Structures are given as C-alpha cells and as structure tokens.
Amino acid sequence: MTEKIRVKNPIVEMDGDEMTRIMWRLIKEKLIYPYLDVDLRYYDLGVRHRDETDDRVTVEAAHAIREFGIGVKCATITPNEARVREYGLKQQWKSPNGTIRSILDGTVFRKPIIIKNIPPAVHKWKKPIIIGRHAYGDIYKNSEFVVEQPGAAEIVFTPAGGGEKTVLKIHDFDGRGVVMGMHNTEASVRSFAQACLNFAISERYDLWFGTKDTISKQYHGFFRDIFAEEVEKAGDSLRQAGIRYRYLLIDDAVAQVIKSDGGMLWACMNYDGDVMSDMVATGFGSLGLMTSVLVSPDGKFEFEAAHGTVVRHYYEHLKGNPTSTNSIASIFAWTGALAKRGELDDTPEVAGFALKLESTVIDTVESGIMTRDLMLIAEPPVTKYALTEEFIAAVAGRLERAI
Ligand code: NAP
Ligand code: MG
C-alpha cells in the first residue's frame, strides 16, 4: 500500500442516525481511513447524544465549522412526537440542520450526481441543475388568519422611532376569507445573493434567478433589485469565471429549466426552492443521488446527503434483514468536503483523491453494480442489485486498484 495522503487542516465530522450512521462507519473504514491521514474533529449528532448533551453538541459542531471552515455531516433524526417516544428523548430537539444553518447564516445548495446509465426523467438534462434555496422568511415566517366576518384588512407599519404610521388596505371583506402578512429583510436577501454568486463562481455554473416581479412589483421587485446590485458588484469575478447571470420571470425559468440540458445554478425564493428542489430531485432519479452543501457568506462549507436516515431500511436492518441502501450521496458528502479542503489548503493531492473516489463510484454504477433504488431506473436495465455493504465493498475494491 502506498503512503497515506496528509490532509493539512482539520475537517469537522458530524455523525448521525440509523441507516446512514451504519453506512457512515463503513465509508470511513473502507474509503477514507485507508488512504488519508486526516484530523477529523468528531461530533456525535446521533439523537441519543444530542439528548444527553441537551443539544449542545450541535451548537459546538456548528462553531467548529466556523473555526475550521469545512464540515461533513451524516443524516440525523429531526425528532417529532413519535421519535421522542421511540428514543425516550427529553424533548423534541430542533432540527440539527436548522441550528447549524442559523449559526453559519448559510444557504443550502442541492446538486444531483450524474451517472450515464441512470437517465433523468427529463431526457434533455445532461448536466446537474443546482438549486439554491433562500431559507429565510416569506410564507415560512408569516402571520395569517381566517377572516370570519365582514370588515377591512390592513397592513400597518409603525416606525420604531415614532413618526407617522403607514397603513395599506389589503381588502374589504363582505364575508368569510383569509389574510396573510409576510416579510423579508435586505440583509437576508443580500447574503443569499452573495452565497449564490460565490457558489456559482466556485462551481463555474451560470446563475439563474426568477421572481414574479410583473405581479409583485415591490416584494419580488426588491429581490430582483438586490440580486442585480450584487451581480454588478461581483462583475469582475463573474467575467473571470466565464459565467453569466440570467434574470427571468419565475414561470419562464421553470419552462427554460425543463427545456435546457442543465448546467446552471438556479437561485430560488423560499417557496419556489422548496417546491422546485423536490421536482428536480425526482427528475434526476433517486434521493440517493442528491447531495447538499451549506455555504455561508464568509466561505464556510458543510457537505451532506440530501436524504434522511432512511428509516424504513434501518428497521429492516434491525430485524436482521439485508438492506440495499444507496451510499452514493453520503460518499459524495465526504468527497465534496475533501475537494474543498484541498482547494482551500492548496493541496491538489487531497482534491485529486476526492475526484478519484467520485469517478470510482460512478464507474462502479456504470459497470452495472448498484443498489436497488438505482436498479429500478437503470438504462440499460440490470437484473441484480447490490446490498448496502456489497456496494461499498465494490467501490473499495476498485479504489484500491485505481490508487
Ligand atoms: P429519507 O430517509 O430520505 O427516506 C425516504 C425514502 O426515500 C426511503 O424510505 C427510501 O425509499 C428512499 N431513500 C432515501 N434515501 C435513500 C438511499 N440513500 N438509498 C435508497 N433509498 C433511499 O426520509 P424519511 O424516511 O422520511 O426520514 C427519516 C428520518 O430522516 C427522519 O427522522 C427525518 O427527520 C430525517 N431527515 C434528516 C435529514 C437530514 O439530516 N439532512 C433530511 C431529511 C430527513 P424506500 O423506502 O421506497 O426504499
Ligand atoms: Mg419541499
């Protein structure tokens, strides 16, 4: 065996739950440790340990990402009532991803992995479509109520320092109806635009942004104008990276994305991103092929798979039944983190290893070895699927020969 590649600076590793926790250990054991001498700062975000530490471990992990710049995270349970009972938790702890996102003030980008024999539902899509979702405000932080009687609904703004109120009529109701108020902030929209520009430049993808500013001249127009200002400021870096900014009406953006061959970063307002990321993920095939990266405006990165802990498979595993769970998005969380670490540390051998591992995974699937979720959609069809451990072992075997 050749000497291990040294990774110059630490990577923050966050362990997780259920089936993904089982795959996580296998990935480290078979694909990472044998090749890399890496200082992993380990945080166990498994739900039991979060419970024991009153969720302090999540906050500590997020601060470690701020310190070291790069994190890699396994999927974790966001407890609901049923999970509190299942694991005997003290309370319904908040979503770890939400906690980390708010500490890093980050934007989440989702990027599919393209494999030749796993054709997307949209045949023209040849390159990834990355979705960047603004994750603050709009209907996700609204106030709304059902109007039960005739009356006037108004928006009122009261200046903090005193002075005249602004009052705007929404509607004069003459019967039952419904009203909603929502907001966003310049700081949040600006940092979203900056995160999208940074990520587009780092990935060398054209940046698209769509709103409905023909109808919502102020609200959606506000987003459009802030994006335009940030694009103007980033002008030189955009030109150097050879990428273009394209502003469209949201309905036109939807149509153009479907007609395109992919290869763009699609920045979406909060609701559009929620809806469109599910459309794009399904369009590309399997949740097991969707990666996710959280990017902060000051250039910190956290990589993970977009899927959850694959709980149905885990229950089968607990019963002693074999599973065929796709580990590709989790492996690509590691390669994403390593490639970025290599880039920031100026250690091309580390980035090179990440690329080699990625191409080994893709070659393995293209040679016909894949988990069941991919077998169901592979073209040309395959008749046999690999079990969870078998797929990782197949990748490990090929990697050993490739290195
Ligand atoms: P999930 O883990 O994403 O799985 C939903 C279904 O999608 C699975 O049952 C499976 O379908 C398929 N699937 C997802 N990933 C797959 C993979 N790698 N290989 C093969 N099939 C895959 O969502 P969930 O079961 O609704 O959620 C489970 C837990 O994950 C929840 O506690 C939730 O809080 C958590 N979660 C965490 C994150 C995160 O940490 N980022 C994100 C989402 C959810 P079949 O059953 O048809 O095989
Ligand atoms: Mg959604």
Side-chain angles (χ1 to χ4, degrees):
M1 165 144 274
T2 47
E3 228 174 274
K4 287 189 190 183
I5 300 166
R6 209 177 80 78
V7 182
K8 203 155 128 196
N9 284 300
I11 290 178
V12 178
E13 178 200 354
M14 288 150 283
D15 210 341
D17 288 302
E18 303 190 316
M19 204 57 214
T20 37
R21 187 178 181 102
I22 290 168
M23 297 196 292
W24 199 252
R25 192 180 51 79
L26 289 171
I27 292 167
K28 275 203 298 185
E29 214 170 77
K30 308 241 181 248
L31 306 176
I32 305 295
Y33 284 148
Y35 302 100
L36 299 176
D37 173 12
V38 53
D39 177 4
L40 294 172
R41 302 294 166 101
Y42 180 85
Y43 292 84
D44 184 359
L45 301 198
V47 73
R48 288 198 175 89
H49 192 240
R50 274 182 276 147
D51 198 55
E52 280 161 23
T53 61
D54 291 336
D55 209 22
R56 275 190 303 275
V57 65
T58 308
V59 175
E60 284 163 10
H63 285 289
I65 302 172
R66 292 193 66 140
E67 182 179 352
F68 297 109
I70 307 281
V72 59
K73 180 180 166 290
C74 178
T76 45
I77 290 170
T78 298
N80 53 18
E81 263 177 52
R83 297 300 213 158
V84 169
R85 267 179 272 122
E86 181 181 0
Y87 284 89
L89 306 176
K90 294 178 202 158
Q91 67 176 76
Q92 275 185 41
W93 301 108
K94 281 195 269 183
S95 148
N97 288 24
T99 301
I100 296 168
R101 196 159 58 222
S102 66
I103 291 173
L104 292 179
D105 179 27
T107 300
V108 175
F109 298 94
R110 280 175 146 210
K111 181 181 177 187
I113 299 154
I114 305 287
I115 305 181
K116 280 205 201 81
N117 52 340
I118 310 297
V122 180
H123 296 307
K124 275 206 73 183
W125 288 354
K126 298 280 182 272
K127 293 176 271 181
I129 295 166
I130 306 178
I131 294 222
R133 172 181 169 191
H134 183 214
Y136 177 81
D138 302 351
I139 65 165
Y140 302 85
K141 259 198 179 338
N142 69 357
S143 302
E144 56 179 29
F145 68 97
V146 173
V147 172
E148 295 290 0
Q149 58 191 327
E154 294 169 340
I155 299 180
V156 181
F157 176 76
T158 313
E164 215 174 304
K165 291 188 179 195
T166 308
V167 180
L168 268 181
K169 173 67 61 67
I170 299 174
H171 189 66
D172 280 318
F173 286 91
D174 52 17
R176 256 185 121 230
V178 65
V179 192
M180 172 167 84
M182 63 186 198
H183 79 283
N184 226 297
T185 67
E186 177 173 344
S188 175
V189 178
R190 212 171 273 291
S191 105
F192 174 56
Q194 285 161 356
C196 289
L197 282 158
N198 288 343
F199 199 62
I201 290 165
S202 134
E203 296 271 317
R204 299 198 179 250
Y205 276 55
D206 283 347
L207 177 60
W208 291 21
F209 181 51
T211 73
K212 194 73 182 176
D213 63 335
T214 45
I215 299 298
S216 168
K217 293 186 167 44
Q218 304 269 328
Y219 200 108
H220 285 221
F222 189 85
F223 278 75
R224 176 204 57 215
D225 292 347
I226 288 177
F227 257 77
E229 285 166 28
E230 291 303 321
V231 166
E232 177 76 32
K233 281 191 221 158
D236 284 342
S237 347
L238 284 177
R239 271 185 294 277
Q240 273 161 26
I243 64 179
R244 291 183 318 150
Y245 174 66
R246 191 168 172 197
Y247 176 78
L248 311 96
L249 267 180
I250 185 65
D251 14 7
D252 190 25
V254 171
Q256 297 296 333
V257 161
I258 295 287
K259 284 197 284 184
S260 77
D261 60 358
M264 76 289 285
L265 164 54
W266 184 9
C268 290
M269 287 175 69
N270 209 344
Y271 176 79
D272 298 338
D274 185 348
V275 177
M276 287 305 151
S277 61
D278 285 282
M279 195 265 296
V280 169
T282 312
F284 273 107
S286 166
L287 264 176
L289 293 182
M290 187 61 79
T291 61
S292 172
V293 47
L294 174 71
V295 184
S296 75
D298 57 347
K300 317 285 185 210
F301 294 79
E302 185 226 36
F303 296 82
E304 65 172 329
H307 59 76
T309 63
V310 211
V311 59
R312 191 184 70 77
H313 298 209
Y314 181 62
Y315 292 155
E316 289 303 316
H317 171 82
L318 289 182
K319 285 188 237 157
N321 295 331
T323 57
S324 179
T325 316
N326 190 342
S327 49
I328 294 180
S330 299
I331 299 173
F332 273 62
W334 279 95
T335 56
L338 288 166
K340 198 40 117 183
R341 185 75 282 170
E343 184 193 319
L344 297 182
D345 293 350
D346 205 8
T347 50
E349 62 282 11
V350 173
F353 171 78
L355 283 182
K356 179 151 281 171
L357 177 49
E358 290 185 355
S359 62
T360 305
V361 169
I362 290 172
D363 290 348
T364 306
V365 177
E366 288 178 354
S367 78
I369 301 172
M370 61 191 78
T371 44
R372 187 168 176 277
D373 56 318
L374 299 185
M375 184 198 79
L376 297 174
I377 51 175
E379 200 60 57
V382 288
T383 47
K384 199 168 146 273
Y385 61 81
L387 300 179
T388 309
E389 301 77 11
E390 287 172 348
F391 180 76
I392 295 173
V395 172
R398 277 174 179 260
L399 186 63
E400 199 177 349
R401 275 173 267 135
I403 277 183

